Amino acid sequence: MEQIHQVFDFLLNNKLIFTLLIIVFLSLIRKLILSRIRGDVAFVSEEQRNWMSRTKNTAFIITVVALFTLWHSEINQFALSVTAIAVAIVVASKEIILCFTGSIQRASSRSFRVGDWIEVGKICGEVIEHNMMATVLQEIDLHHGHYDYTGKTATLPNSMFFTYPVKNLNFMKRYVYHHFSIVVPKFVNLYPLIPLMIEKINDHTSYFYDVAARYNTMIEKHAGVDLPGAEPHMHITSGASGEQIVHFMLFCPTDKATHLEHKIRADFMEVYEAHFPLDEEKDE
């Protein structure tokens, strides 16, 4: 027991060594827990990511508290000695302070959690980790209507939450309002094609329509707003050069959106060619 007291007194008298031991010990514990959570799987599940994020944040907080407790007397003396330059320190550490406060703002507003799809500025992705300083996203290509992972990882400083609005796109993980359009250069009457195209779209979407309708109703109740229904929508507008633009909107499974778009484009080409077979002959 006396030897333990001697070792402890030695460490208190040599705080740099004690600090190094604390950091190494907590790092090893953190690494061991993370390896146990991850296991031998190739892909990490959403629940595993949640536990990994909690473990990292807890280890960080424990490390900060332990080091602050160890060095609190020195920190107090240092704080008193730098009172005159406190303003300069705040200005120099502005970004770090914003990151910390951005993390507090995220936690208090509960705007997203690990596994959610979010959009911050022009960056869209799935949250795979967040801590006191930054949020890590697995980037998703939403702006081109593909809804696929790009393979890029984006690390956003939490200060961005004060600069850009955070859009939670979590409902888009399962179903999405998919918009696309087809440009018709000839000015012809396309309205007779609408019922035919709606019928073909219904044939393509009939196998998931009931589930889509229920999911659409659930989103409306959760958001508290009246959203477009699960049925397909189609309308026609004119462009600046006289061309006609046929707009489509589908409420469909996210992973089927691109495939359905290709099918509908092919159907439109067939229907258009059947109704206006002489267009090419007239051009000749």
Side-chain angles (χ1 to χ4, degrees):
M1 192 69 180
E2 185 177 348
Q3 293 179 345
I4 295 176
H5 282 295
Q6 291 177 352
V7 171
F8 190 72
D9 290 338
F10 173 79
L11 292 176
L12 288 178
N13 293 327
N14 297 271
K15 292 186 178 181
L16 289 177
I17 298 176
F18 201 4
T19 299
L20 182 62
L21 290 176
I22 290 174
I23 294 174
V24 171
F25 176 74
L26 291 176
S27 298
L28 290 175
I29 295 297
R30 173 179 175 272
K31 186 175 182 180
L32 177 63
I33 295 175
L34 289 176
S35 64
R36 293 292 298 273
I37 294 173
R38 183 179 182 89
D40 298 327
V41 296
F43 300 100
V44 180
S45 66
E46 183 176 328
E47 184 178 1
Q48 286 175 307
R49 285 176 178 170
N50 273 309
W51 280 108
M52 291 171 71
S53 179
R54 291 168 189 164
T55 300
K56 292 178 181 179
N57 291 335
T58 302
F60 176 77
I61 292 172
I62 292 175
T63 302
V64 171
V65 171
L67 295 182
F68 180 81
T69 303
L70 179 63
W71 292 90
H72 73 279
S73 59
E74 288 79 0
I75 292 174
N76 288 336
Q77 294 176 2
F78 175 77
L80 292 174
S81 65
V82 298
T83 302
I85 57 172
V87 175
I89 293 176
V90 170
V91 172
S93 59
K94 174 184 175 182
E95 194 67 24
I96 296 175
I97 295 173
L98 285 175
C99 287
F100 274 106
T101 53
S103 177
I104 296 172
Q105 186 270 343
R106 176 200 60 78
S108 60
S109 65
R110 298 180 181 179
S111 53
F112 62 86
R113 60 187 180 87
V114 173
D116 285 356
W117 285 15
I118 66 171
E119 179 180 355
V120 183
K122 295 183 179 180
I123 301 175
C124 305
E126 180 177 340
V127 180
I128 59 176
E129 183 183 344
H130 57 73
N131 52 48
M132 298 296 290
M133 296 297 295
T135 298
V136 184
L137 303 182
Q138 191 69 42
E139 191 178 51
I140 301 172
D141 185 12
L142 294 183
H143 295 300
H144 298 93
H146 295 156
Y147 315 104
D148 295 324
Y149 292 101
T150 64
K152 301 176 183 177
T153 301
T155 302
L156 311 180
N158 291 336
S159 58
M160 289 184 66
F161 300 152
F162 293 109
T163 308
Y164 300 99
V166 179
K167 300 179 183 179
N168 193 310
L169 312 175
N170 199 37
F171 284 117
M172 294 177 62
K173 291 182 70 173
R174 289 188 59 195
Y175 279 80
V176 65
Y177 284 106
H178 182 60
H179 300 261
F180 63 95
S181 58
I182 299 175
V183 178
V184 179
K186 298 291 183 179
F187 193 83
V188 293
N189 185 10
L190 298 177
Y191 283 92
L193 306 186
I194 292 180
L196 299 175
M197 286 305 303
I198 292 295
E199 184 178 350
K200 288 182 176 292
I201 294 173
N202 288 334
D203 291 339
H204 293 314
T205 61
S206 59
Y207 71 96
F208 63 77
Y209 180 79
D210 291 339
V211 178
R214 291 195 297 269
Y215 194 72
N216 183 270
T217 302
M218 184 186 72
I219 295 175
E220 286 185 332
K221 291 181 179 178
H222 185 274
V225 294
D226 185 18
L227 299 175
E231 65 277 0
H233 297 268
M234 180 178 173
H235 68 278
I236 300 171
T237 61
S238 298
S241 302
E243 72 276 10
Q244 296 187 90
I245 305 172
V246 186
H247 302 271
F248 297 87
M249 186 183 74
L250 307 175
F251 187 70
C252 60
T254 304
D255 57 349
K256 300 289 193 303
T258 304
H259 178 66
L260 288 171
E261 178 182 340
H262 290 166
K263 283 188 173 182
I264 294 168
R265 285 182 181 275
D267 288 339
F268 183 83
M269 301 301 177
E270 292 179 3
V271 173
Y272 181 86
E273 187 176 10
H275 278 71
F276 306 101
L278 299 180
D279 282 354
E280 293 183 1
E281 295 179 8
K282 290 179 180 179
D283 290 342
E284 294 176 0

